[in-house]
Amino acid sequence: MSVRPEHASALSHDELKTRLHTMGREAREASRIMAAAGPAAKANALETLALLLQERREEILAANAEDLAAARDAGLDAPRLDRLTLTDNTLKEMA
């Protein structure tokens, strides 16, 4: 699975709405599972996520560059662009 299977601007309003709604439902379900998980399972999940961030660094940074370009084109101001910007350092800190 890629970070971004298709650019959001390529989706219709209804497709984007449906995709975001689905992601929200999945996130709620994942939060319930993690809330019920024991400490070892939570630690394992965090370690897995950290590894995925490292393994997919290039893909994540490329997708972020696309998002930043679209945000600039949409006229987002510098402080908001700064908050959206991911760097190698940012990903290392997340992991």
Side-chain angles (χ1 to χ4, degrees):
M1 180 175 116
S2 69
V3 173
R4 297 175 53 207
E6 51 190 296
H7 197 280
S9 65
L11 300 174
S12 73
H13 174 76
D14 288 338
E15 290 169 325
L16 183 59
K17 183 178 176 181
T18 299
R19 183 169 290 178
L20 291 174
H21 193 39
T22 299
M23 289 170 63
R25 278 195 318 270
E26 290 171 352
R28 276 192 304 279
E29 179 60 22
S31 73
R32 288 183 190 111
I33 291 168
M34 289 305 295
K42 289 178 183 178
N44 187 8
L46 290 172
E47 288 173 15
T48 300
L49 291 172
L51 286 172
L52 285 170
L53 282 172
Q54 293 169 10
E55 288 174 6
R56 298 177 72 182
R57 180 188 64 77
E58 288 182 24
E59 187 179 353
I60 293 167
L61 292 175
N64 182 245
E66 289 179 23
D67 290 341
L68 288 170
R72 272 188 215 93
D73 291 346
L76 215 64
D77 59 35
R80 288 190 178 120
L81 287 171
D82 187 54
R83 284 193 293 276
L84 290 175
T85 302
L86 293 176
T87 65
D88 275 328
N89 245 6
T90 308
L91 290 177
K92 286 177 187 172
E93 289 173 9
M94 287 179 183

